[in-house]
Amino acid sequence: SVFKGALAYDALRQGVGLAIGFFKDSIAESMEASRIMTQVQTNVKNAGFEYDKLADKLEAYGKNAVQLGFDDEVAAQSISKLLLVTKDYDQARALTNLSMDLARNKNIGLEEATKAITMVTQGNTKALKEYGIELGDTATTADILNEAQKKLKNSATDFASSAAGQAEVLRQEYGNLKQEIGDELMPEVVEFFN
């Protein structure tokens, strides 16, 4: 009947709309990941390292970050920003771990947490005051970072173990799936518009 045909057409139209939306989101995820990783490569180079020598470590770290509910590219970006300051991969990784703990403990983004930790490493011992971490005027950078580690320890892993954390892990994994599809579609899109 006409009614059934109209329902079938509407269902088909909605399905096609959802598929198109998914592919558009996939391409957007791919483009954003590419933008961030270009910045990571630049930061690594500006810190005095060869990106190719750190690429595997950054990728492995990113995969671990996803299991804590963080975006893998944003985690690599965090390390790269801290690498600019520390010039030491292991120290940058440890400070990124601290940034993740701060982010989860204070319910802020990893970018904001990394900025605060970076400010402390550059001598701004008051940078964590708004997050409840302060020791007074005579505190050194090391004192503040040690206090932050004590107060924030395991915040990221504790969050990842919670229901909200598991939902965030799934969200990141779904985003990565969309990104992978976008990575596959991107050459076709570029070719289409050229």
Side-chain angles (χ1 to χ4, degrees):
S1 81
V2 173
F3 181 70
K4 285 182 181 178
L7 282 176
Y9 171 77
D10 189 51
L12 177 64
R13 185 181 57 79
Q14 287 181 9
V16 169
L18 288 172
I20 289 171
F22 177 82
F23 290 125
K24 284 173 65 178
D25 289 349
S26 294
I27 291 169
E29 289 270 353
S30 176
M31 289 172 53
E32 178 64 4
S34 177
R35 183 192 67 75
I36 291 172
M37 290 311 293
T38 299
Q39 181 188 17
V40 168
Q41 290 175 11
T42 300
N43 288 349
V44 168
K45 180 181 174 186
N46 289 343
F49 294 88
E50 291 181 42
Y51 177 78
D52 292 340
K53 290 185 178 179
L54 289 181
D56 290 342
K57 287 182 178 181
L58 292 170
E59 183 177 344
Y61 188 83
K63 286 180 181 179
N64 289 332
V66 168
Q67 296 311 306
L68 296 173
F70 292 102
D71 181 86
D72 49 342
E73 288 85 17
V74 174
Q77 182 182 44
S78 179
I79 288 180
S80 75
K81 287 179 177 181
L82 287 159
L83 197 58
L84 286 168
V85 177
T86 65
K87 308 294 189 218
D88 179 274
Y89 176 81
D90 291 331
Q91 190 177 11
R93 186 189 54 182
L95 290 170
T96 300
N97 291 343
L98 180 59
S99 298
M100 289 180 176
D101 283 335
L102 176 63
R104 291 302 184 222
N105 189 278
K106 302 303 178 184
N107 198 27
I108 59 176
L110 182 55
E111 299 94 335
E112 184 179 340
T114 300
K115 182 177 180 182
I117 295 298
T118 301
M119 291 173 66
V120 171
T121 64
Q122 294 174 330
N124 183 347
T125 57
K126 304 261 187 235
L128 296 178
K129 181 179 180 178
E130 72 180 280
Y131 302 113
I133 300 168
E134 112 179 271
L135 292 176
D137 294 337
T138 61
T140 66
T141 297
D143 295 336
I144 295 294
L145 290 173
N146 287 333
E147 182 66 15
Q149 286 176 329
K150 284 182 211 170
K151 285 189 173 186
L152 304 171
K153 187 175 181 161
N154 296 324
S155 294
T157 54
D158 291 347
F159 175 80
S161 299
S162 71
Q166 288 300 299
E168 189 61 28
V169 168
L170 289 173
R171 191 176 79 77
Q172 293 302 330
E173 289 173 342
Y174 180 65
N176 283 344
L177 173 65
K178 288 195 304 187
Q179 177 193 327
E180 288 174 22
I181 291 169
D183 291 346
E184 294 296 321
L185 291 173
M186 189 58 74
E188 303 300 323
V189 171
V190 170
E191 186 176 316
F192 177 79
F193 284 107
N194 282 333

